[in-house]
Amino acid sequence: RRLHVTLGWMLLVGMLLFSATGLTWSQWAGGNVDKMRAAFGWLTPQVNTQLHGGEAMPHDPHAGHHMDHMAMNEPQVKVTAEQFDGVLRAAQGAGLTASKLEIRPPKSAGMAWTVNEIDRSWPTRVDAAAIDGATLQVVDRTRFADFPLMAKLTRWGVDFHMGILFGLANQLLLVAFGAALCVMIVVGYRLWWIRRPAHGAFNPAQTLVQAWLGLNSAARALALLIALLLGLTIPLMGVSLAACLIVDYLRWRAATTMRLAKSAD
């Protein structure tokens, strides 16, 4: 029990961090997170690639996971090696000097080339520039130093989650965290096994609802409010909680029926 509790407290911050950053990948919860970030102005700035006006779209911190698939389906304009060299020189002249650069040709006519720094280690270098392929002029520019604080924290949190923020040290820490979490789970099941009801002895169903009813009024109201808010923002968690409550109800009915039957005997 001491090992289980100690590991739980030690891993609490990491579990919250990995949960928060990992949820942004999910379909429904991730969409709700994006809406919240947009409402508070926490979206990551992105260069405007429109050559004739228009607004830039917010940047997705996870774009690297699905950009390759998107690029296969998007129409590409004809480009030459000389254009790549010219765009690279223009971007370097605009201050993009990281050792890792990504150059993307325009998706269609009337759009600019994009050059992105992709060095997400520490210190993070993810500046970007939009370059007019015809004139090699800088159309737009974003600097990581100018990002809102929450956009920076999102970038760092995602990169830490992926194990690239601090390189090998980051990856070893993730391995240690995962191993410790597995130990905590196994020990938790061991504790349950030791304290499980004895065979043949009557034990009423210890349901989640019974545990909730055991709280005082203020704690019950707070737990219910938190459950509702989490269920709305994280729909799959809400569905899982509802399923758990249904199982609790069925167990309670089965235990009650068994108890009545034994009383009748």
Side-chain angles (χ1 to χ4, degrees):
R1 181 177 179 276
R2 185 180 299 111
L3 176 62
H4 182 76
V5 173
T6 302
L7 288 176
W9 280 111
M10 290 176 60
L11 302 179
L12 177 61
V13 175
M15 287 189 286
L16 293 175
L17 173 63
F18 291 124
S19 297
T21 54
L23 282 174
T24 58
W25 271 288
S26 63
Q27 181 175 352
W28 293 290
N32 291 331
V33 171
D34 289 340
K35 292 177 182 178
M36 181 190 70
R37 293 177 61 202
F40 288 96
W42 295 345
L43 292 175
T44 303
Q46 187 180 26
V47 291
N48 187 357
T49 58
Q50 298 289 335
L51 294 179
H52 306 290
E55 296 181 356
M57 295 298 291
H59 179 63
D60 177 8
H62 306 290
H65 286 269
H66 45 73
M67 189 56 66
D68 293 338
H69 175 72
M70 293 173 60
M72 294 175 60
N73 300 323
E74 292 172 348
Q76 301 288 331
V77 298
K78 187 176 181 179
V79 298
T80 64
E82 290 76 13
Q83 286 178 297
F84 274 94
D85 293 336
V87 168
L88 175 60
R89 288 192 297 269
Q92 290 174 335
L96 274 68
T97 57
S99 59
K100 299 178 182 179
L101 291 175
E102 178 186 64
I103 304 176
R104 294 181 190 164
K107 303 172 185 177
S108 60
M111 301 187 70
W113 291 62
T114 57
V115 182
N116 299 277
E117 293 180 333
I118 55 174
D119 188 356
R120 298 176 180 175
S121 59
W122 189 271
T124 303
R125 304 186 67 180
V126 291
D127 293 359
I131 310 293
D132 187 337
T135 64
L136 298 182
Q137 297 296 313
V138 177
V139 177
D140 196 13
R141 178 84 159 81
T142 61
R143 295 173 176 82
F144 183 72
D146 299 331
F147 283 13
L149 176 60
M150 290 305 300
K152 290 182 179 180
L153 293 177
T154 300
R155 176 76 277 162
W156 288 327
V158 170
D159 293 339
F160 181 79
H161 187 121
M162 297 170 62
I164 58 179
L165 184 60
F166 300 113
L168 180 60
N170 195 164
Q171 297 162 22
L172 292 176
L173 181 61
L174 295 184
V175 171
F177 177 87
L181 183 60
C182 290
V183 171
M184 187 184 73
I185 293 172
V186 171
V187 172
Y189 277 111
R190 173 60 179 165
L191 287 173
W192 172 84
W193 182 260
I194 293 174
R195 300 176 61 183
R196 72 190 188 281
H199 291 291
F202 172 75
N203 289 275
Q206 300 298 314
T207 66
L208 181 61
V209 175
Q210 285 181 322
W212 178 71
L213 291 174
L215 302 173
N216 58 46
S217 300
R220 271 186 282 178
L222 179 60
L224 182 60
L225 177 62
I226 293 175
L228 289 175
L229 291 177
L230 289 176
L232 291 174
T233 55
I234 312 176
L236 287 181
M237 176 183 174
V239 172
S240 301
L241 178 59
C244 182
L245 292 175
I246 292 174
V247 171
D248 264 2
Y249 173 74
L250 295 177
R251 289 179 61 241
W252 172 79
R253 284 198 60 179
T256 302
T257 303
M258 184 182 300
R259 184 175 184 179
L260 293 176
K262 288 187 176 182
S263 299
D265 294 340

PDB file of all heavy atoms in Angstrom, residues 229-245:
ATOM      1  N   LEU A 229     -19.171  18.174 -15.757  1.00  0.00           N
ATOM      2  CA  LEU A 229     -18.299  18.996 -16.591  1.00  0.00           C
ATOM      3  C   LEU A 229     -17.327  18.144 -17.388  1.00  0.00           C
ATOM      4  O   LEU A 229     -17.110  18.367 -18.594  1.00  0.00           O
ATOM      5  CB  LEU A 229     -17.532  19.990 -15.711  1.00  0.00           C
ATOM      6  CG  LEU A 229     -18.366  21.101 -15.072  1.00  0.00           C
ATOM      7  CD1 LEU A 229     -17.497  21.970 -14.160  1.00  0.00           C
ATOM      8  CD2 LEU A 229     -19.019  21.970 -16.140  1.00  0.00           C
ATOM      9  N   LEU A 230     -16.733  17.146 -16.741  1.00  0.00           N
ATOM     10  CA  LEU A 230     -15.809  16.264 -17.451  1.00  0.00           C
ATOM     11  C   LEU A 230     -16.534  15.438 -18.503  1.00  0.00           C
ATOM     12  O   LEU A 230     -16.012  15.186 -19.587  1.00  0.00           O
ATOM     13  CB  LEU A 230     -15.092  15.342 -16.454  1.00  0.00           C
ATOM     14  CG  LEU A 230     -14.059  16.004 -15.547  1.00  0.00           C
ATOM     15  CD1 LEU A 230     -13.498  14.994 -14.555  1.00  0.00           C
ATOM     16  CD2 LEU A 230     -12.924  16.613 -16.365  1.00  0.00           C
ATOM     17  N   GLY A 231     -17.758  15.012 -18.199  1.00  0.00           N
ATOM     18  CA  GLY A 231     -18.527  14.237 -19.167  1.00  0.00           C
ATOM     19  C   GLY A 231     -18.869  15.032 -20.411  1.00  0.00           C
ATOM     20  O   GLY A 231     -18.909  14.493 -21.516  1.00  0.00           O
ATOM     21  N   LEU A 232     -19.101  16.340 -20.236  1.00  0.00           N
ATOM     22  CA  LEU A 232     -19.423  17.193 -21.381  1.00  0.00           C
ATOM     23  C   LEU A 232     -18.187  17.512 -22.210  1.00  0.00           C
ATOM     24  O   LEU A 232     -18.242  17.553 -23.440  1.00  0.00           O
ATOM     25  CB  LEU A 232     -20.086  18.487 -20.902  1.00  0.00           C
ATOM     26  CG  LEU A 232     -21.497  18.343 -20.313  1.00  0.00           C
ATOM     27  CD1 LEU A 232     -21.972  19.673 -19.739  1.00  0.00           C
ATOM     28  CD2 LEU A 232     -22.470  17.851 -21.381  1.00  0.00           C
ATOM     29  N   THR A 233     -17.074  17.788 -21.534  1.00  0.00           N
ATOM     30  CA  THR A 233     -15.860  18.160 -22.263  1.00  0.00           C
ATOM     31  C   THR A 233     -15.102  16.951 -22.788  1.00  0.00           C
ATOM     32  O   THR A 233     -14.403  17.050 -23.798  1.00  0.00           O
ATOM     33  CB  THR A 233     -14.935  18.987 -21.361  1.00  0.00           C
ATOM     34  OG1 THR A 233     -14.657  18.253 -20.157  1.00  0.00           O
ATOM     35  CG2 THR A 233     -15.583  20.306 -20.988  1.00  0.00           C
ATOM     36  N   ILE A 234     -15.231  15.817 -22.101  1.00  0.00           N
ATOM     37  CA  ILE A 234     -14.551  14.581 -22.536  1.00  0.00           C
ATOM     38  C   ILE A 234     -15.632  13.518 -22.712  1.00  0.00           C
ATOM     39  O   ILE A 234     -15.876  12.703 -21.806  1.00  0.00           O
ATOM     40  CB  ILE A 234     -13.502  14.134 -21.500  1.00  0.00           C
ATOM     41  CG1 ILE A 234     -12.616  15.313 -21.099  1.00  0.00           C
ATOM     42  CG2 ILE A 234     -12.638  13.013 -22.053  1.00  0.00           C
ATOM     43  CD1 ILE A 234     -11.617  14.985 -20.010  1.00  0.00           C
ATOM     44  N   PRO A 235     -16.321  13.507 -23.844  1.00  0.00           N
ATOM     45  CA  PRO A 235     -17.509  12.657 -24.016  1.00  0.00           C
ATOM     46  C   PRO A 235     -17.268  11.175 -23.764  1.00  0.00           C
ATOM     47  O   PRO A 235     -18.116  10.511 -23.151  1.00  0.00           O
ATOM     48  CB  PRO A 235     -17.907  12.919 -25.475  1.00  0.00           C
ATOM     49  CG  PRO A 235     -17.352  14.270 -25.781  1.00  0.00           C
ATOM     50  CD  PRO A 235     -16.074  14.362 -25.020  1.00  0.00           C
ATOM     51  N   LEU A 236     -16.156  10.636 -24.222  1.00  0.00           N
ATOM     52  CA  LEU A 236     -15.916   9.199 -24.022  1.00  0.00           C
ATOM     53  C   LEU A 236     -15.770   8.863 -22.543  1.00  0.00           C
ATOM     54  O   LEU A 236     -16.154   7.779 -22.101  1.00  0.00           O
ATOM     55  CB  LEU A 236     -14.685   8.753 -24.797  1.00  0.00           C
ATOM     56  CG  LEU A 236     -14.852   8.675 -26.318  1.00  0.00           C
ATOM     57  CD1 LEU A 236     -13.571   8.185 -26.977  1.00  0.00           C
ATOM     58  CD2 LEU A 236     -16.022   7.758 -26.682  1.00  0.00           C
ATOM     59  N   MET A 237     -15.206   9.786 -21.784  1.00  0.00           N
ATOM     60  CA  MET A 237     -15.134   9.569 -20.339  1.00  0.00           C
ATOM     61  C   MET A 237     -16.538   9.585 -19.740  1.00  0.00           C
ATOM     62  O   MET A 237     -16.847   8.787 -18.844  1.00  0.00           O
ATOM     63  CB  MET A 237     -14.279  10.647 -19.687  1.00  0.00           C
ATOM     64  CG  MET A 237     -14.220  10.555 -18.170  1.00  0.00           C
ATOM     65  SD  MET A 237     -13.278  11.873 -17.418  1.00  0.00           S
ATOM     66  CE  MET A 237     -13.594  11.539 -15.683  1.00  0.00           C
ATOM     67  N   GLY A 238     -17.397  10.489 -20.228  1.00  0.00           N
ATOM     68  CA  GLY A 238     -18.772  10.532 -19.739  1.00  0.00           C
ATOM     69  C   GLY A 238     -19.526   9.253 -20.046  1.00  0.00           C
ATOM     70  O   GLY A 238     -20.269   8.730 -19.191  1.00  0.00           O
ATOM     71  N   VAL A 239     -19.321   8.714 -21.253  1.00  0.00           N
ATOM     72  CA  VAL A 239     -19.969   7.454 -21.622  1.00  0.00           C
ATOM     73  C   VAL A 239     -19.454   6.319 -20.745  1.00  0.00           C
ATOM     74  O   VAL A 239     -20.234   5.461 -20.286  1.00  0.00           O
ATOM     75  CB  VAL A 239     -19.721   7.154 -23.106  1.00  0.00           C
ATOM     76  CG1 VAL A 239     -20.205   5.753 -23.463  1.00  0.00           C
ATOM     77  CG2 VAL A 239     -20.415   8.196 -23.984  1.00  0.00           C
ATOM     78  N   SER A 240     -18.148   6.299 -20.488  1.00  0.00           N
ATOM     79  CA  SER A 240     -17.570   5.255 -19.634  1.00  0.00           C
ATOM     80  C   SER A 240     -18.123   5.337 -18.212  1.00  0.00           C
ATOM     81  O   SER A 240     -18.422   4.301 -17.589  1.00  0.00           O
ATOM     82  CB  SER A 240     -16.043   5.387 -19.609  1.00  0.00           C
ATOM     83  OG  SER A 240     -15.505   5.278 -20.907  1.00  0.00           O
ATOM     84  N   LEU A 241     -18.257   6.558 -17.695  1.00  0.00           N
ATOM     85  CA  LEU A 241     -18.805   6.725 -16.351  1.00  0.00           C
ATOM     86  C   LEU A 241     -20.254   6.259 -16.299  1.00  0.00           C
ATOM     87  O   LEU A 241     -20.667   5.592 -15.335  1.00  0.00           O
ATOM     88  CB  LEU A 241     -18.709   8.188 -15.916  1.00  0.00           C
ATOM     89  CG  LEU A 241     -19.276   8.530 -14.545  1.00  0.00           C
ATOM     90  CD1 LEU A 241     -18.583   7.723 -13.454  1.00  0.00           C
ATOM     91  CD2 LEU A 241     -19.136  10.035 -14.262  1.00  0.00           C
ATOM     92  N   ALA A 242     -21.037   6.595 -17.341  1.00  0.00           N
ATOM     93  CA  ALA A 242     -22.432   6.142 -17.389  1.00  0.00           C
ATOM     94  C   ALA A 242     -22.508   4.619 -17.419  1.00  0.00           C
ATOM     95  O   ALA A 242     -23.342   4.005 -16.738  1.00  0.00           O
ATOM     96  CB  ALA A 242     -23.129   6.738 -18.608  1.00  0.00           C
ATOM     97  N   ALA A 243     -21.622   3.982 -18.194  1.00  0.00           N
ATOM     98  CA  ALA A 243     -21.597   2.515 -18.249  1.00  0.00           C
ATOM     99  C   ALA A 243     -21.237   1.925 -16.890  1.00  0.00           C
ATOM    100  O   ALA A 243     -21.813   0.912 -16.464  1.00  0.00           O
ATOM    101  CB  ALA A 243     -20.605   2.049 -19.312  1.00  0.00           C
ATOM    102  N   CYS A 244     -20.297   2.571 -16.188  1.00  0.00           N
ATOM    103  CA  CYS A 244     -19.907   2.105 -14.853  1.00  0.00           C
ATOM    104  C   CYS A 244     -21.081   2.185 -13.888  1.00  0.00           C
ATOM    105  O   CYS A 244     -21.307   1.275 -13.071  1.00  0.00           O
ATOM    106  CB  CYS A 244     -18.724   2.929 -14.354  1.00  0.00           C
ATOM    107  SG  CYS A 244     -18.097   2.421 -12.735  1.00  0.00           S
ATOM    108  N   LEU A 245     -21.859   3.260 -13.981  1.00  0.00           N
ATOM    109  CA  LEU A 245     -23.016   3.418 -13.104  1.00  0.00           C
ATOM    110  C   LEU A 245     -24.084   2.360 -13.403  1.00  0.00           C
ATOM    111  O   LEU A 245     -24.749   1.856 -12.493  1.00  0.00           O
ATOM    112  CB  LEU A 245     -23.608   4.819 -13.262  1.00  0.00           C
ATOM    113  CG  LEU A 245     -22.736   5.972 -12.750  1.00  0.00           C
ATOM    114  CD1 LEU A 245     -23.393   7.311 -13.079  1.00  0.00           C
ATOM    115  CD2 LEU A 245     -22.491   5.836 -11.258  1.00  0.00           C
TER     116      LEU A 245
END
